[in-house]
Amino acid sequence: MGVIVTEPRADRAPRRAGWGRALRTHFGTLAGVAILAVLLWRMGTGVFLDGLSRIDVPALLLALGIGAVTTVFSAWRWALVARGLRIRLPLGPAVADYYRSLFLNAALPGGILGDVHRAVRHGQSEGDVGRGVRAVVLERTAGQLVLAVAGVTVLLVLPSPVMADVRHFAPLVALGTVGALAVVLAVRMNSPARRRGGRLRATLSEAREGLLSRRNGPGVALSSVVVLAGHIATFVVAARVAGSTASVPVLLPLAVLALLAMSLPLNVGGWGPREGVTAWAFGAAGLGASTGLSVAVVYGALSFVAALPGAVVLVVRWYTGLRAEAAAGPAAGSGAGGVVPDAEPGHAHDGHYPRSSPAAEAPALAPAPAPVSASASAESAAEVSAVSIEKYAPKESARLARSSFPFSADPREGRPMTPESV
């Protein structure tokens, strides 16, 4: 009766923490699934199937063409931002990586895993993961800023279901933004000099160089506008495919609302808030909620088709990696156990660079030793063999680098550019 058991509580605490961490990690995916479940429950599966059945070949080809234009301009914007951060990014590899990123965003939950993969891979290739991640963050931020500015302008000018609300809240949001900036500026002016020159200043400097400099600013703005126009054009195509006859000025604010909903991290591969907001906006505009849901479904399918070249990039990169590993395998296996004996005297194992053995060089370096016993000779021979293996066998770091990238011999990696390391 008087025994107090405390151990089960200690066991439950880590379990609860694990559940909470998992819930925070997958909250966006769960929210997107919940939104889609509510839409299916209220409108049925017929709207989804009807929208998908209306897609034809001309619509798919048009989506691929528009997607190619928007992807190239997005990759150009990424290359400009990376140049502002002083990291190298050619346009060709940027387009391929951006296609792969779009496909992963559309195929995986969350909608941002492709961007994370793109940022980390570029940072690793350039030897600075942090700067690579910041380049992708700034590039995506530029697109979101242009979308926000253009969206608010369109919603203030053109009739839409939220026009009155936007006109009511826009001045309040503007005043709040100005006040927040004034508070931040006052705090920075009153803080010590060493604190003012910290990480925030470095971040703002990188943002200014990457987005607002005289060399990058016009290109970043132009590419963001073209990308936004491409997304709106895809939405109009989706509306026509779904059977909507509304004019472009009527569809424009609805498209902006759908794109703003897509920017929320509460989706499953882009699906979720876009369908809910589009269905509500079409219903509030008198165009029919079912039509709005069908338009959103067609838009999602066309966007996925436009990102399909990223799957080709994934397959090509995977096949190239397999061939590189197969080519590096025999070389790594031949150098892992020690020095491979030459097939013929006076020729190296690669057939190009002759190299004499350490035993042949020994008489030229020192006089002949006095005669010793057989056991001493065996011990000295074993020591020489061990030293030769340690000296001429490739290091572990070189074998690891060669398995990941077979032609890596960068002096920054801390090893000489010898035939073994290459």
Side-chain angles (χ1 to χ4, degrees), residues 9-57:
R9 292 186 179 180
D11 293 338
R12 286 196 299 265
R15 191 177 305 172
R16 292 176 181 175
W19 278 104
R21 189 182 302 109
L23 182 61
R24 290 193 300 270
T25 302
H26 302 286
F27 176 76
T29 302
L30 295 177
V33 171
I35 294 173
L36 291 176
V38 171
L39 290 175
L40 287 173
W41 173 58
R42 296 296 300 269
M43 297 186 178
T45 59
V47 179
F48 284 84
L49 298 178
D50 179 67
L52 295 176
S53 64
R54 290 174 176 269
I55 301 176
D56 52 5
V57 175

Side-chain angles (χ1 to χ4, degrees), residues 96-355:
D97 290 345
Y98 216 101
Y99 259 122
R100 180 179 58 188
S101 172
L102 291 176
F103 176 75
L104 293 178
N105 285 340
L108 298 177
I112 61 172
L113 296 180
D115 294 324
V116 174
H117 181 263
R118 170 166 59 100
V120 174
R121 289 296 297 271
H122 179 228
Q124 288 177 345
S125 65
E126 294 300 316
D128 193 340
V129 177
R131 191 169 295 184
V133 171
R134 292 194 295 272
V136 172
V137 170
L138 289 177
E139 181 264 328
R140 297 292 291 176
T141 302
Q144 296 300 321
L145 287 176
V146 171
L147 172 62
V149 173
V152 171
T153 303
V154 168
L155 295 177
L156 285 174
V157 175
L158 296 178
S160 67
V162 297
M163 182 178 182
D165 296 332
V166 172
R167 289 184 174 181
H168 177 72
F169 287 105
L172 299 178
V173 173
L175 290 176
T177 303
V178 172
L181 291 177
V183 171
V184 171
L185 182 61
V187 171
R188 284 177 53 81
M189 291 181 64
N190 293 329
S191 61
R194 58 184 179 182
R195 294 181 59 187
R196 291 202 304 266
R199 186 175 300 176
L200 181 60
R201 172 175 292 183
T203 302
L204 294 177
S205 177
E206 288 185 344
R208 183 174 62 253
E209 290 293 330
L211 302 179
L212 304 177
S213 64
R214 184 179 302 177
R215 183 175 60 174
N216 288 356
V220 171
L222 176 62
S223 59
S224 301
V225 170
V226 172
V227 171
L228 178 59
H231 293 329
I232 294 176
T234 305
F235 188 89
V236 174
V237 172
R240 294 291 181 260
V241 171
S244 177
T245 58
S247 61
V248 174
V250 175
L251 293 175
L252 186 58
L254 306 181
V256 169
L257 289 175
L259 293 176
L260 290 174
M262 286 177 57
S263 63
L264 298 176
L266 305 173
N267 56 76
V268 184
W271 298 76
R274 176 185 60 206
E275 284 68 30
V277 171
T278 307
W280 168 82
F282 270 73
L287 302 177
S290 60
T291 302
L293 180 57
S294 181
V295 170
V297 171
V298 174
Y299 179 87
L302 294 181
S303 299
F304 184 79
V305 170
L308 280 180
V312 178
V313 175
L314 274 176
V315 173
V316 171
R317 297 280 177 86
W318 171 74
Y319 180 71
T320 305
L322 287 182
R323 293 190 60 183
E325 290 180 0
S334 63
V339 180
V340 178
D342 297 338
E344 298 180 4
H347 292 80
H349 64 278
D350 56 2
H352 295 284
Y353 300 101
R355 186 181 61 190

